[in-house]
Short mmCIF file of all heavy atoms in Angstrom, two decimals:
data_model
loop_
_atom_site.label_atom_id
_atom_site.label_comp_id
_atom_site.label_asym_id
_atom_site.label_seq_id
_atom_site.Cartn_x
_atom_site.Cartn_y
_atom_site.Cartn_z
N LYS A 187 5.70 -13.97 1.12
CA LYS A 187 4.39 -14.62 1.27
C LYS A 187 4.12 -15.55 0.13
O LYS A 187 4.63 -15.37 -0.97
CB LYS A 187 3.30 -13.58 1.44
CG LYS A 187 3.19 -12.64 0.26
CD LYS A 187 2.39 -11.41 0.70
CE LYS A 187 2.41 -10.36 -0.41
NZ LYS A 187 2.14 -9.02 0.02
N GLU A 188 3.28 -16.57 0.42
CA GLU A 188 3.01 -17.61 -0.61
C GLU A 188 2.10 -17.10 -1.73
O GLU A 188 2.37 -17.34 -2.89
CB GLU A 188 2.33 -18.84 0.03
CG GLU A 188 3.29 -19.77 0.70
CD GLU A 188 2.61 -20.77 1.58
OE1 GLU A 188 1.51 -21.20 1.25
OE2 GLU A 188 3.21 -21.08 2.63
N THR A 189 1.03 -16.40 -1.38
CA THR A 189 0.12 -15.91 -2.36
C THR A 189 0.14 -14.37 -2.38
O THR A 189 -0.30 -13.74 -1.41
CB THR A 189 -1.34 -16.39 -2.08
OG1 THR A 189 -1.29 -17.80 -1.90
CG2 THR A 189 -2.29 -16.04 -3.19
N GLY A 190 0.67 -13.80 -3.45
CA GLY A 190 0.75 -12.36 -3.55
C GLY A 190 -0.64 -11.75 -3.65
O GLY A 190 -1.60 -12.47 -3.98
N SER A 191 -0.74 -10.43 -3.43
CA SER A 191 -2.09 -9.82 -3.43
C SER A 191 -2.68 -9.84 -4.80
O SER A 191 -3.91 -9.93 -4.92
CB SER A 191 -2.09 -8.45 -2.81
OG SER A 191 -0.87 -7.78 -3.04
N SER A 192 -1.88 -9.77 -5.89
CA SER A 192 -2.45 -9.73 -7.25
C SER A 192 -3.29 -10.99 -7.50
O SER A 192 -4.43 -10.92 -7.96
CB SER A 192 -1.39 -9.66 -8.31
OG SER A 192 -0.72 -8.42 -8.21
N LEU A 193 -2.76 -12.16 -7.08
CA LEU A 193 -3.50 -13.39 -7.24
C LEU A 193 -4.69 -13.42 -6.24
O LEU A 193 -5.80 -13.88 -6.59
CB LEU A 193 -2.56 -14.61 -6.98
CG LEU A 193 -3.16 -15.98 -7.16
CD1 LEU A 193 -3.75 -16.17 -8.55
CD2 LEU A 193 -2.10 -17.06 -6.89
N GLY A 194 -4.43 -12.91 -5.04
CA GLY A 194 -5.50 -12.86 -4.01
C GLY A 194 -6.73 -12.09 -4.53
O GLY A 194 -7.87 -12.51 -4.33
N HIS A 195 -6.48 -10.94 -5.17
CA HIS A 195 -7.60 -10.12 -5.66
C HIS A 195 -8.51 -10.93 -6.62
O HIS A 195 -9.72 -10.78 -6.59
CB HIS A 195 -7.10 -8.89 -6.43
CG HIS A 195 -6.51 -7.84 -5.53
ND1 HIS A 195 -7.23 -7.15 -4.61
CD2 HIS A 195 -5.22 -7.35 -5.44
CE1 HIS A 195 -6.44 -6.33 -3.93
NE2 HIS A 195 -5.21 -6.40 -4.44
N THR A 196 -7.87 -11.76 -7.44
CA THR A 196 -8.64 -12.54 -8.43
C THR A 196 -9.52 -13.61 -7.76
O THR A 196 -10.45 -14.11 -8.37
CB THR A 196 -7.74 -13.23 -9.49
OG1 THR A 196 -7.00 -14.28 -8.79
CG2 THR A 196 -6.79 -12.27 -10.16
N MET A 197 -9.16 -13.93 -6.49
CA MET A 197 -9.91 -14.97 -5.78
C MET A 197 -11.00 -14.39 -4.87
O MET A 197 -11.80 -15.14 -4.31
CB MET A 197 -8.94 -15.80 -4.96
CG MET A 197 -7.99 -16.62 -5.80
SD MET A 197 -6.50 -17.09 -4.91
CE MET A 197 -7.20 -18.09 -3.62
N ALA A 198 -11.03 -13.07 -4.72
CA ALA A 198 -11.95 -12.48 -3.74
C ALA A 198 -13.42 -12.86 -3.99
O ALA A 198 -14.14 -13.17 -3.05
CB ALA A 198 -11.79 -10.94 -3.77
N ASP A 199 -13.81 -12.86 -5.26
CA ASP A 199 -15.22 -13.14 -5.58
C ASP A 199 -15.60 -14.60 -5.30
O ASP A 199 -16.74 -14.98 -5.35
CB ASP A 199 -15.52 -12.79 -7.03
CG ASP A 199 -15.77 -11.31 -7.19
OD1 ASP A 199 -16.24 -10.67 -6.18
OD2 ASP A 199 -15.50 -10.73 -8.26
#
Side-chain angles (χ1 to χ4, degrees):
K187 59 199 174 201
E188 278 167 35
T189 307
S191 34
S192 295
L193 183 57
H195 288 295
T196 67
M197 293 159 62
D199 279 333

